[in-house]
Amino acid sequence: MIYITRREKFSAAHRLHREDWDEQKNFDVFGKCSYPNWHGHNYVLYVTVKGELNPETGFVVNIKHLSKIIKENAIVKLDHRNLNLDVEFLKGKLASTENVAIGIWEQLEPIINELGIQLHSIKVEETENNFVEYFGN
Amino acid sequence: MIYITRREKFSAAHRLHREDWDEQKNFDVFGKCSYPNWHGHNYVLYVTVKGELNPETGFVVNIKHLSKIIKENAIVKLDHRNLNLDVEFLKGKLASTENVAIGIWEQLEPIINELGIQLHSIKVEETENNFVEYFGN
Amino acid sequence: MIYITRREKFSAAHRLHREDWDEQKNFDVFGKCSYPNWHGHNYVLYVTVKGELNPETGFVVNIKHLSKIIKENAIVKLDHRNLNLDVEFLKGKLASTENVAIGIWEQLEPIINELGIQLHSIKVEETENNFVEYFGN
Amino acid sequence: MIYITRREKFSAAHRLHREDWDEQKNFDVFGKCSYPNWHGHNYVLYVTVKGELNPETGFVVNIKHLSKIIKENAIVKLDHRNLNLDVEFLKGKLASTENVAIGIWEQLEPIINELGIQLHSIKVEETENNFVEYFGN
Amino acid sequence: MIYITRREKFSAAHRLHREDWDEQKNFDVFGKCSYPNWHGHNYVLYVTVKGELNPETGFVVNIKHLSKIIKENAIVKLDHRNLNLDVEFLKGKLASTENVAIGIWEQLEPIINELGIQLHSIKVEETENNFVEYFGN
Amino acid sequence: MIYITRREKFSAAHRLHREDWDEQKNFDVFGKCSYPNWHGHNYVLYVTVKGELNPETGFVVNIKHLSKIIKENAIVKLDHRNLNLDVEFLKGKLASTENVAIGIWEQLEPIINELGIQLHSIKVEETENNFVEYFGN
């Protein structure tokens, strides 16, 4: 078993805010992240897959192929988008880094499984100080 | 003459878009940066000042004092904000990295001058691939 | 289960040295780290916690709350301190990165447990080339 | 159990190419990595070992000793070399990052075992966007 | 006058070696860089241009346009190539970082001039420890 | 004229403190940097030299030679040392980053001049947020 990781990036706007809370409660819980006119981040995404070495190529997976899958199934939906307004797989969810990581896992896992390898983890960095990792259920 | 630089950060939303252009022209010029629902970045700001060494302290300027000035006069106005909607000193300007750098220069220069030192440059990184530097007029 | 990590930093002095060894033996084992007048590092600390997603907030834990706990229970005791002389939880121990990581784990684990989540790992980088990870007993 | 990691670097040339495939098939599978006159990378190697704390030193392992082992048994064979032509332990294998990581594991594991500690993982970064991890069989 | 910088990357093989010197003299001067079977690097290129702000766009130059120029006139000639064998603009020159930087300047300057802005500097990082900057004649 | 930069590192302890001020005044000016038992940093040093290209080697200066000069004339005096107690060229000066940069300049400039090239700048990073540059008198 070998693990291989591809880094991709997306820049997006978001806001942490519950409609069913008033502004004060939103601010108490979410702080500056609740400001009304959005803010944003340069998110960094690490997708780690694992599998056996293919002796013909020396690869677990062709990293260019993996990159294409990530771009087509996650980055294009997230990059230069508003996570609260534009992202189908986050509809009805708070746009926290946790939910972004879980959402990306759900987008990518079935497609990566079809390659005969396994998705191992999704890591999403929101800033250089904060990141989330998800390994599936 | 010694140069000292302080790094600060802010996370903000923005959009590149002209009201007097239609969507197609905005997209042709600004690409994904013109998407309607905003996107955002972790901006990194480097403020460089220069001056003589103060022999009493060994400092050009107390870096904690410089950091406080940057935070109170720039970061608080930019962090977790929407550059197009929330920032007084960008009103009526396109929210490009160039204009952000010039705007921060104009906020900080008079205050730094009062310290008896000079503002040398403002550097703003929008992403790890793009940055702007401004040295004043 | 989701994992979330907060990065914090502290700058500290230390020395690797045993009173019961002579200078030569200290130098043979600890090299330059045994020099008598201390040296120091910009340590980087990564605290990873894990837990279920709180559906009300979209968080495993409020990262600002986690940051506050780390600062009050670890950083304030370590930052701008001498690890050999000033740190209660390192008394009687060699000020190795290993012992720093274990000590931080012991400071933080009971407090993080009270939040209903688990401390997963403590990672301490001494330099860009050396780091230690501890996952508890 | 504590985990300690040492970062080392090597700069090497390589090419992904199978003699039993024609140029077109090589290009279809390996892309630019199949170009005939080699290309190269600044590889970054992370060697993680694990073990009990030695109470006499506060170390799992003396990191300078670990660094010396990595340099003598891996870096010297890889640095400023051609991975396809010069590296004994890659002979007959495709010079993929996966095979480099496995090869380094095989070089280091018996020597690290002799220290009474265990090799936990070999991580090899080929670029800032691609890396491989191997944890043994 | 504003300065804007674009970062691009290329991975290439090279060797420092003079045909008119014997192996010993090549090794004395160039060290491991003279090894016969090539080695390589992940080069990082920073292209800085300067000009007046275009009030219509808020840009000195459209960074996507600048990126395209760099890719078509420099990166495509260097990436996954052998600097000694494959690069027209380095023919007959030693493949030092200095000559790479000068060569890239000469490729880009006439094209950037046509945009009504000026090329300010070419910075080439060979490793995290070594980089070269060229500002033209 | 080409500019070439070498990065080197040193880990040192220091303290900002004036004997002729009482503890309160020291704390008011220097804050945590005045704590009595020292603290420390992983300093990063960038030495930039400039000169004409040597057509025989393609170099401004052999970077390995430059590295050796920096190590022998600066790093060995600073690394794993106490900047206040151990460093001859800082005696009688406050151990500020500014004074460290000026001191390194004075150590290196005469030796670099002998090579027929010029020292252009000394940059010293104390942390990822603070750095100083000195270009001589």
Side-chain angles (χ1 to χ4, degrees):
Chain A
M1 206 70 143
I2 313 252
Y3 295 68
I4 187 160
T5 301
R6 175 71 186 175
R7 186 182 81 126
E8 301 284 349
K9 295 173 285 179
F10 59 96
S11 294
H14 82 143
R15 178 193 184 197
L16 295 176
H17 176 263
R18 290 185 68 100
E19 294 283 320
D20 55 342
W21 289 353
D22 63 20
E23 282 313 298
Q24 187 58 48
K25 178 145 189 205
N26 272 294
F27 187 77
D28 290 347
V29 174
F30 296 123
K32 291 183 295 184
C33 295
S34 69
Y35 282 178
N37 290 328
W38 321 100
H39 63 281
H41 300 288
N42 297 324
Y43 291 89
V44 188
L45 167 63
Y46 296 83
V47 176
T48 301
V49 301
K50 60 187 171 190
E52 300 297 326
L53 202 71
N54 177 338
E56 197 175 35
T57 58
F59 291 158
V60 171
V61 64
N62 192 319
I63 198 98
K64 284 186 204 311
H65 191 185
L66 179 60
S67 172
K68 193 159 170 279
I69 286 171
I70 301 168
K71 281 185 182 129
E72 289 175 0
N73 296 281
I75 299 300
V76 81
K77 299 173 183 177
L78 296 158
D79 189 35
H80 284 70
R81 300 294 180 180
N82 184 307
L83 302 182
N84 302 59
L85 302 179
D86 295 331
V87 182
E88 200 61 43
F89 67 76
L90 292 172
K91 280 281 158 65
K93 293 181 183 163
L94 282 149
S96 66
T97 316
E98 286 90 331
N99 276 327
V100 172
I102 295 171
I104 294 172
W105 175 282
E106 288 169 357
Q107 296 301 301
L108 296 181
E109 202 209 10
I111 297 157
I112 285 170
N113 277 345
E114 285 173 28
L115 303 175
I117 56 174
Q118 289 170 262
L119 181 56
H120 176 67
S121 69
I122 296 294
K123 176 177 166 183
V124 179
E125 292 182 359
E126 191 184 69
T127 69
E128 65 182 8
N129 294 326
N130 299 336
F131 62 85
V132 159
E133 288 165 291
Y134 184 59
F135 300 85
N137 277 311
Chain B
M1 206 72 143
I2 314 252
Y3 295 69
I4 187 160
T5 300
R6 177 70 185 175
R7 186 182 82 127
E8 301 283 350
K9 295 173 285 179
F10 58 97
S11 294
H14 83 140
R15 178 192 183 197
L16 294 176
H17 176 261
R18 288 185 69 100
E19 294 283 321
D20 55 343
W21 289 352
D22 63 20
E23 282 312 298
Q24 186 58 49
K25 178 146 188 204
N26 272 295
F27 187 78
D28 290 347
V29 175
F30 296 123
K32 291 182 296 183
C33 295
S34 69
Y35 282 177
N37 289 328
W38 321 99
H39 63 281
H41 301 289
N42 299 324
Y43 291 90
V44 187
L45 168 62
Y46 296 84
V47 176
T48 301
V49 300
K50 59 187 172 189
E52 301 296 326
L53 202 72
N54 177 338
E56 197 176 35
T57 57
F59 291 157
V60 170
V61 63
N62 191 319
I63 197 97
K64 284 186 202 311
H65 191 186
L66 179 60
S67 171
K68 194 160 169 279
I69 286 172
I70 302 168
K71 281 186 182 128
E72 289 176 359
N73 295 281
I75 298 301
V76 79
K77 299 171 183 178
L78 296 158
D79 189 35
H80 283 71
R81 300 294 180 181
N82 183 308
L83 301 182
N84 301 58
L85 302 179
D86 295 332
V87 182
E88 201 60 44
F89 67 77
L90 291 172
K91 279 282 156 66
K93 293 181 182 161
L94 281 149
S96 65
T97 316
E98 287 91 332
N99 276 328
V100 172
I102 296 171
I104 293 172
W105 175 283
E106 289 168 356
Q107 295 302 299
L108 296 182
E109 202 209 11
I111 297 157
I112 284 170
N113 277 344
E114 284 173 28
L115 302 175
I117 56 173
Q118 289 170 262
L119 181 56
H120 175 67
S121 69
I122 296 294
K123 177 176 165 183
V124 179
E125 291 182 359
E126 192 183 68
T127 69
E128 66 181 6
N129 293 327
N130 298 337
F131 62 84
V132 159
E133 287 166 291
Y134 184 59
F135 300 85
N137 277 309
Chain C
M1 206 72 144
I2 314 254
Y3 295 69
I4 187 160
T5 299
R6 176 72 186 173
R7 187 182 81 126
E8 301 283 350
K9 297 172 284 180
F10 58 96
S11 294
H14 83 142
R15 178 192 183 197
L16 295 177
H17 177 262
R18 289 184 68 100
E19 294 283 320
D20 55 342
W21 290 353
D22 63 20
E23 283 312 300
Q24 188 57 49
K25 177 143 190 206
N26 272 295
F27 186 78
D28 290 348
V29 174
F30 296 124
K32 291 183 295 183
C33 294
S34 69
Y35 283 177
N37 289 329
W38 320 100
H39 63 281
H41 301 288
N42 298 325
Y43 291 90
V44 188
L45 168 63
Y46 296 84
V47 176
T48 302
V49 301
K50 59 187 171 190
E52 300 297 326
L53 201 71
N54 177 338
E56 197 176 35
T57 59
F59 292 159
V60 170
V61 63
N62 192 319
I63 198 98
K64 286 188 201 309
H65 191 185
L66 179 60
S67 172
K68 192 159 171 279
I69 286 172
I70 301 168
K71 282 186 181 129
E72 289 176 359
N73 295 282
I75 299 300
V76 80
K77 300 172 182 177
L78 296 159
D79 189 34
H80 284 71
R81 302 294 181 180
N82 184 307
L83 302 182
N84 301 58
L85 302 179
D86 296 332
V87 182
E88 201 60 44
F89 67 77
L90 291 172
K91 280 280 158 67
K93 292 181 184 161
L94 281 149
S96 65
T97 316
E98 286 91 332
N99 275 327
V100 172
I102 296 171
I104 294 172
W105 175 283
E106 288 168 357
Q107 295 301 301
L108 296 182
E109 202 209 10
I111 298 156
I112 284 169
N113 276 345
E114 285 173 27
L115 302 175
I117 56 173
Q118 289 170 263
L119 181 56
H120 175 69
S121 69
I122 296 294
K123 177 176 164 182
V124 180
E125 291 183 359
E126 191 183 69
T127 68
E128 64 182 7
N129 293 327
N130 299 336
F131 62 85
V132 159
E133 288 165 290
Y134 184 59
F135 300 84
N137 277 311
Chain D
M1 207 72 144
I2 314 251
Y3 295 69
I4 187 160
T5 299
R6 176 71 185 175
R7 186 182 82 127
E8 302 283 350
K9 294 173 285 180
F10 59 97
S11 294
H14 82 142
R15 178 193 183 196
L16 294 176
H17 177 262
R18 289 185 68 100
E19 294 283 320
D20 54 342
W21 290 353
D22 62 20
E23 282 313 299
Q24 188 57 49
K25 177 144 190 205
N26 273 294
F27 187 78
D28 289 347
V29 174
F30 296 123
K32 291 183 295 184
C33 295
S34 69
Y35 282 179
N37 289 328
W38 320 99
H39 63 282
H41 300 289
N42 298 323
Y43 291 89
V44 188
L45 167 63
Y46 296 83
V47 176
T48 301
V49 300
K50 60 188 172 189
E52 299 297 326
L53 202 71
N54 177 338
E56 197 175 36
T57 58
F59 291 158
V60 171
V61 64
N62 191 320
I63 198 97
K64 286 187 202 310
H65 191 185
L66 179 60
S67 171
K68 192 159 170 281
I69 286 172
I70 301 168
K71 281 186 182 128
E72 288 176 359
N73 295 282
I75 299 300
V76 81
K77 300 173 183 177
L78 296 159
D79 189 34
H80 284 69
R81 302 292 181 182
N82 183 308
L83 302 183
N84 301 58
L85 302 179
D86 296 331
V87 181
E88 201 60 44
F89 67 77
L90 291 172
K91 280 280 158 65
K93 293 180 183 163
L94 281 149
S96 66
T97 316
E98 285 90 332
N99 276 327
V100 173
I102 296 170
I104 294 172
W105 175 283
E106 287 168 357
Q107 296 300 301
L108 296 182
E109 202 210 9
I111 298 157
I112 284 170
N113 277 345
E114 284 172 29
L115 302 175
I117 57 174
Q118 290 170 261
L119 181 56
H120 175 67
S121 69
I122 297 294
K123 177 176 165 182
V124 179
E125 292 182 359
E126 190 184 68
T127 69
E128 65 181 8
N129 293 327
N130 299 337
F131 62 85
V132 159
E133 288 165 291
Y134 184 59
F135 299 86
N137 278 311
Chain E
M1 207 70 146
I2 314 252
Y3 296 67
I4 187 159
T5 299
R6 176 71 186 175
R7 186 181 81 127
E8 301 283 351
K9 296 172 284 179
F10 59 97
S11 294
H14 83 142
R15 178 192 183 198
L16 294 176
H17 177 262
R18 288 185 69 99
E19 294 284 319
D20 55 341
W21 290 353
D22 63 19
E23 283 312 299
Q24 187 59 47
K25 177 144 190 206
N26 272 296
F27 187 77
D28 291 347
V29 174
F30 296 123
K32 290 182 295 184
C33 295
S34 69
Y35 282 177
N37 288 327
W38 320 100
H39 63 282
H41 301 288
N42 298 324
Y43 291 89
V44 188
L45 168 63
Y46 296 83
V47 176
T48 302
V49 301
K50 60 188 172 190
E52 300 297 326
L53 201 72
N54 178 338
E56 198 176 34
T57 57
F59 292 158
V60 171
V61 64
N62 192 318
I63 198 97
K64 283 186 203 312
H65 191 185
L66 179 60
S67 171
K68 194 159 168 281
I69 286 172
I70 302 168
K71 281 186 183 129
E72 288 175 0
N73 295 280
I75 299 301
V76 80
K77 300 172 182 176
L78 296 158
D79 189 34
H80 284 70
R81 300 294 180 181
N82 184 308
L83 301 183
N84 302 58
L85 302 179
D86 296 331
V87 182
E88 201 60 44
F89 67 77
L90 291 172
K91 279 281 156 66
K93 294 181 181 161
L94 281 149
S96 66
T97 316
E98 286 91 332
N99 276 328
V100 173
I102 296 171
I104 293 172
W105 176 282
E106 288 168 356
Q107 295 302 299
L108 297 182
E109 201 209 11
I111 297 158
I112 284 170
N113 277 345
E114 284 172 28
L115 301 175
I117 55 174
Q118 289 170 262
L119 181 56
H120 175 67
S121 68
I122 296 294
K123 177 176 166 183
V124 180
E125 292 182 359
E126 191 183 69
T127 69
E128 65 181 7
N129 293 328
N130 298 337
F131 62 85
V132 159
E133 287 165 292
Y134 184 59
F135 300 85
N137 276 311
Chain F
M1 207 71 144
I2 314 252
Y3 295 69
I4 187 160
T5 299
R6 177 70 186 174
R7 187 180 81 126
E8 301 283 351
K9 295 172 286 177
F10 58 97
S11 294
H14 83 142
R15 179 193 182 197
L16 294 176
H17 176 262
R18 288 185 69 99
E19 293 283 321
D20 55 342
W21 289 353
D22 62 19
E23 282 312 298
Q24 186 59 46
K25 177 145 188 205
N26 272 295
F27 187 77
D28 290 347
V29 174
F30 296 122
K32 290 182 297 184
C33 294
S34 69
Y35 282 178
N37 289 328
W38 321 100
H39 63 281
H41 300 288
N42 298 324
Y43 291 89
V44 187
L45 168 63
Y46 296 84
V47 176
T48 301
V49 300
K50 59 187 172 191
E52 300 297 327
L53 201 72
N54 178 338
E56 198 176 36
T57 57
F59 292 158
V60 171
V61 64
N62 192 319
I63 198 97
K64 285 186 202 311
H65 191 186
L66 179 60
S67 171
K68 193 159 169 281
I69 286 172
I70 301 167
K71 281 186 182 129
E72 288 176 0
N73 296 280
I75 299 301
V76 80
K77 299 172 182 176
L78 296 158
D79 189 34
H80 284 71
R81 301 294 181 180
N82 184 308
L83 301 183
N84 301 59
L85 302 179
D86 296 331
V87 182
E88 201 60 44
F89 66 77
L90 291 173
K91 279 281 158 64
K93 293 180 184 162
L94 281 149
S96 66
T97 316
E98 286 90 331
N99 276 326
V100 172
I102 296 171
I104 294 172
W105 176 282
E106 289 167 356
Q107 297 301 300
L108 295 182
E109 202 209 10
I111 297 157
I112 284 169
N113 277 344
E114 285 173 28
L115 301 176
I117 55 173
Q118 289 171 263
L119 181 55
H120 175 68
S121 69
I122 296 294
K123 177 176 164 182
V124 179
E125 292 182 359
E126 191 182 70
T127 68
E128 65 181 8
N129 293 326
N130 299 336
F131 62 84
V132 159
E133 287 166 292
Y134 184 59
F135 300 84
N137 276 312

